[in-house]
């Protein structure tokens, strides 16, 4: 009975946060203060995610000591089933990784009982093992959340800020957490996207080193309910990755067609005749006497070159032809003379 009474007294003193000045060594140590902010986040994924996406999910689990794991969910099931899964796991927040075509990754952040929920496209994923950063932090330590000033400019960013603080903020006095702040989560809005970084706090002056992971959240839609309901906000600048890849392929395919079209237009627009130039105009440029002397020298050089180029065989053949022609003419003349003499004799 005495031991039970001592334990009850210690629990009462712990609840009132009043510690006794002196404590006997035989007494058991006081228990931790009960954690009031009982946030539990269910982190799991659907079937069909890639290996990089799975490593990112594992990194987020290591950063969040207040998470609860779950097996993969079939993609054929409706997302409203997730609400029942969270109730069974006694979780009031949820992070669902949804893979498409083993290359695209979507993330759902949801407040399970009543909403709201947000859908993001995850881009530029770099995991802890891939980055190999020099930073390090205590496992289970609580992070500081740093948000950019742009979160207060638009109402949908205010909703996302509150949702991210409730999901990534580790509750005070959580059993699996450590009572230290040794790293910072930074959320910055740039190019209509939310950039996530994790830094270690080196010094009190503000010295930081990056730990990882790093990724970019491209918001798609914000719903009033949990995994559904009325759409509170829709991103007008969002382009699906499949549509973006289709546009790139079309642009690459159009290069060949553009090149052919350019060739056809060049041929059709090409003039048949260029500027009409009179070759005689060059003769009258400069001194006419010097031009005449240059032309005469060119003609002489041209004749010399032509004479050199004629081979000897052709010259010999020409000479033979001339000689054979002369002999034939002599024979013909002799025959004609003989015929004339014969005719004279007859007469």
């Amino acid at each position: 009975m005495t031991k039970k009474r001592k334990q009850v007294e210690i629990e009462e003193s712990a609840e009132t946060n009043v510690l006794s000045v002196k404590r006997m060594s035989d007494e058991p140590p006081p228990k931790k203060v009960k954690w009031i902010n009982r946030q539990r986040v269910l982190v799991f994924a659907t079937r069909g995610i890639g290996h990089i996406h799975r490593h990112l999910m594992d990194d987020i689990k290591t950063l969040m000591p207040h998470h609860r794991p779950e097996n993969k969910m079939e993609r054929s099931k409706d997302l409203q089933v997730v609400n029942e899964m969270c109730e069974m796991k006694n979780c009031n927040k949820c992070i669902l990784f949804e893979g498409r075509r083993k290359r695209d990754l979507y993330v759902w952040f949801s407040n399970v009982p009543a909403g709201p929920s947000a859908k993001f496209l995850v881009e530029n994923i770099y995991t802890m093992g891939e980055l190999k950063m020099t930073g390090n932090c205590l496992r289970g330590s609580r992070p500081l959340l740093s948000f950019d000033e742009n979160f207060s400019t638009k109402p949908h960013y205010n909703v996302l800020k509150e949702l991210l603080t409730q999901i990534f903020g580790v509750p005070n006095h959580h059993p699996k957490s450590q009572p230290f702040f040794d790293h910072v989560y930074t959320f910055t809005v740039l190019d209509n996207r939310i950039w996530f970084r994790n830094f270690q706090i080196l010094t009190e002056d503000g010295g930081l080193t990056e730990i990882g992971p790093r990724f970019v959240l491209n918001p798609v839609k914000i719903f009033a309910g949990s995994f559904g309901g009325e759409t509170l906000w829709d991103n007008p600048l969002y382009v699906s990755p499949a549509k973006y890849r289709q546009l790139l392929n079309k642009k690459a395919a159009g290069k060949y067609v553009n090149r052919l079209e350019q060739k056809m237009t060049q041929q059709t627009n090409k003039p048949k005749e260029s500027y009409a130039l009179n070759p005689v105009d060059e003769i009258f440029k400069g001194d006419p006497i010097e031009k005449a002397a240059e032309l005469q020298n060119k003609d002489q050089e041209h004749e010399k070159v032509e004479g050199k180029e004629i081979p000897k065989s052709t010259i010999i053949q020409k000479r033979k032809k001339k000689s054979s022609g002369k002999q034939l003419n002599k024979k013909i003349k002799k025959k004609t003379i003989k015929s004339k003499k014969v005719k004279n004799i007859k007469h």
Side-chain angles (χ1 to χ4, degrees):
M1 293 294 288
T2 56
K3 287 184 179 180
K4 289 183 178 180
R5 284 178 184 176
K6 285 181 180 180
Q7 287 179 358
V8 170
E9 289 176 359
I10 290 165
E11 287 178 0
E12 288 177 356
S13 64
E15 288 178 358
T16 54
N17 293 327
V18 177
L19 296 174
S20 58
V21 180
K22 293 181 180 180
R23 187 172 65 84
M24 300 297 292
S25 61
D26 297 333
E27 295 177 2
K31 291 183 179 180
K32 279 187 176 181
V33 180
K34 290 184 179 180
W35 52 297
I36 300 166
N37 183 16
R38 293 179 176 272
Q39 298 285 347
R40 297 184 184 90
V41 183
L42 187 68
V43 182
F44 67 110
T46 59
R47 293 193 179 277
I49 63 171
H51 63 283
I52 297 173
H53 307 154
R54 188 176 66 254
H55 290 312
L56 178 66
M57 183 178 67
D58 293 337
D59 291 342
I60 288 174
K61 284 180 180 179
T62 56
L63 293 174
M64 300 171 65
H66 60 293
H67 85 279
R68 288 203 174 179
E70 180 61 31
N71 295 327
K72 289 181 180 178
M73 188 183 76
E74 295 292 337
R75 292 179 61 186
S76 59
K77 292 183 180 179
D78 190 10
L79 291 177
Q80 295 295 327
V81 181
V82 181
N83 297 327
E84 298 177 1
M85 294 167 69
C86 291
E87 287 181 4
M88 292 169 64
K89 287 281 186 177
N90 196 14
C91 296
N92 53 2
K93 299 288 185 298
C94 181
I95 298 176
L96 175 64
F97 291 89
E98 187 179 358
R100 302 276 179 86
R101 301 182 181 181
K102 290 189 177 180
R103 55 169 67 180
D104 305 326
L105 180 65
Y106 291 89
V107 173
W108 287 83
F109 293 143
S110 176
N111 186 19
V112 171
S117 60
K119 184 181 179 182
F120 297 92
L121 173 67
V122 188
E123 300 172 344
N124 300 332
I125 300 169
Y126 295 96
T127 59
M128 282 185 185
E130 185 181 358
L131 288 173
K132 295 181 181 178
M133 293 290 183
T134 56
N136 192 6
C137 65
L138 183 66
R139 188 181 181 91
S141 61
R142 299 179 65 200
L144 295 173
L145 302 181
S146 174
F147 287 91
D148 191 13
E149 294 177 354
N150 295 321
F151 277 94
S152 59
T153 55
K154 294 181 181 179
H156 63 276
Y157 284 138
N158 285 322
V159 176
L160 294 176
K161 179 181 178 181
E162 185 63 29
L163 190 63
L164 292 170
T165 51
Q166 292 184 15
I167 288 173
F168 285 98
V170 178
N172 194 9
H173 302 295
H174 191 276
K176 293 182 180 179
S177 67
Q178 300 291 336
F180 305 108
F181 294 93
D182 61 350
H183 61 287
V184 185
Y185 296 160
T186 60
F187 298 92
T188 56
V189 176
L190 183 65
D191 195 17
N192 298 316
R193 290 168 175 82
I194 299 171
W195 299 63
F196 176 84
R197 295 287 185 274
N198 182 19
F199 295 97
Q200 179 194 357
I201 301 171
L202 292 175
T203 58
E204 295 179 359
D205 301 335
L208 301 174
T209 55
E210 190 172 357
I211 303 171
R214 58 165 74 163
F215 55 88
V216 180
L217 298 173
N218 188 4
V220 180
K221 283 185 180 181
I222 299 175
F223 298 96
S226 177
F227 295 99
E230 186 182 355
T231 56
L232 298 176
W233 178 76
D234 190 2
N235 190 0
L237 302 173
Y238 170 71
V239 179
S240 66
K243 184 72 175 176
Y244 182 70
R245 286 192 293 268
Q246 186 181 2
L247 293 172
L248 289 177
N249 292 331
K250 283 183 178 179
K251 190 176 180 181
K255 285 183 180 179
Y256 177 69
V257 178
N258 290 331
R259 191 162 64 247
L260 289 177
E261 288 178 356
Q262 287 176 3
K263 282 186 179 180
M264 293 293 290
T265 52
Q266 186 181 4
Q267 289 176 0
T268 53
N269 295 328
K270 188 177 180 180
K272 295 180 180 178
E273 293 181 357
S274 62
Y275 295 104
L277 299 174
N278 190 3
V280 185
D281 293 339
E282 295 181 357
I283 299 170
F284 299 102
K285 288 181 181 179
D287 192 3
I289 296 168
E290 292 178 357
K291 279 281 182 185
E294 287 178 2
L295 293 172
Q296 190 175 1
N297 293 327
K298 284 181 181 178
D299 292 336
Q300 290 177 359
E301 290 176 358
H302 186 65
E303 288 176 359
K304 287 179 182 179
V305 170
E306 284 183 351
K308 288 179 181 179
E309 286 179 355
I310 296 168
K312 293 181 179 179
S313 60
T314 55
I315 295 166
I316 293 164
Q317 287 176 1
K318 286 180 180 180
R319 287 177 181 177
K320 285 181 179 180
K321 285 180 181 179
K322 285 181 180 180
S323 61
S324 61
K326 287 179 181 179
Q327 290 175 0
L328 287 169
N329 290 329
K330 285 180 181 180
K331 288 179 181 179
I332 291 164
K333 283 180 180 179
K334 285 180 180 180
K335 286 180 181 180
T336 52
I337 290 164
K338 285 181 180 181
S339 61
K340 284 180 180 180
K341 286 182 179 180
V342 170
K343 285 179 182 179
N344 293 324
I345 290 164
K346 285 179 180 181
H347 288 296

